Amino acid sequence: QVQLVESGGGSVQAGGSLRLSCAASGYTSSTTCMAWFRQTPGKEREGVAATDHMSTYHADFVKGRFTVSRDNAKNTLYLQMNSLKPEDTAVYYCAARGAFCRVTNYGNAKIFDYWGQGTQVTVSS
């Protein structure tokens, strides 16, 4: 089993920055692909960014503003969020799966096996 614990959420004004972290523990060989998703009330969970040991992927709506990275020695995934907008307000979730990420499916929540509890990000105008 894998445990994922997110941290770093909070409230910020538009234009500000936050850095989310996701610490993985347990059977970390099942965390080859790690991703960030976000969800707002009444909407489906949407993929934000993902990374495995070879590639990184970012959704179009965050390109140039968000950067996903990971520290394999610490088993930790990060999401640096700059130039935040009110529409970025959501609960952000960390997810992991054992297979590599694919550009065609990294944003599909159904393929991920493990999830964190989520961390709230609120951006005010």
Side-chain angles (χ1 to χ4, degrees):
Q1 294 296 316
V2 173
Q3 295 78 43
L4 303 174
V5 179
E6 301 101 332
S7 61
S11 298
V12 66
Q13 289 191 328
S17 299
L18 284 173
R19 188 193 195 202
L20 305 183
S21 299
C22 172
S25 61
Y27 194 54
T28 55
S29 62
S30 294
T31 59
T32 300
C33 177
M34 297 187 73
W36 289 101
F37 285 77
R38 67 186 188 185
Q39 189 171 26
T40 54
K43 293 188 177 181
E44 291 188 355
R45 202 165 289 190
E46 63 178 356
V48 176
T51 181
D52 53 31
H53 302 296
M54 298 178 64
S55 303
T56 60
Y57 306 95
H58 296 83
D60 287 343
F61 54 82
V62 301
K63 281 182 179 177
R65 300 189 299 124
F66 293 9
T67 302
V68 65
S69 63
R70 64 192 293 170
D71 184 332
N72 292 321
K74 296 181 178 180
N75 293 320
T76 301
L77 178 73
Y78 301 100
L79 184 68
Q80 178 65 46
M81 304 187 296
N82 299 328
S83 302
L84 282 160
K85 304 175 181 180
E87 51 263 45
D88 294 318
T89 296
V91 177
Y92 283 71
Y93 296 91
C94 173
R97 65 189 295 241
F100 282 92
C101 303
R102 294 287 183 265
V103 66
T104 54
N105 67 10
Y106 75 90
N108 182 355
K110 296 179 180 179
I111 68 169
F112 287 86
D113 303 309
Y114 303 101
W115 292 87
Q117 81 288 352
T119 185
Q120 176 71 45
V121 171
T122 302
V123 184
S124 59
S125 57

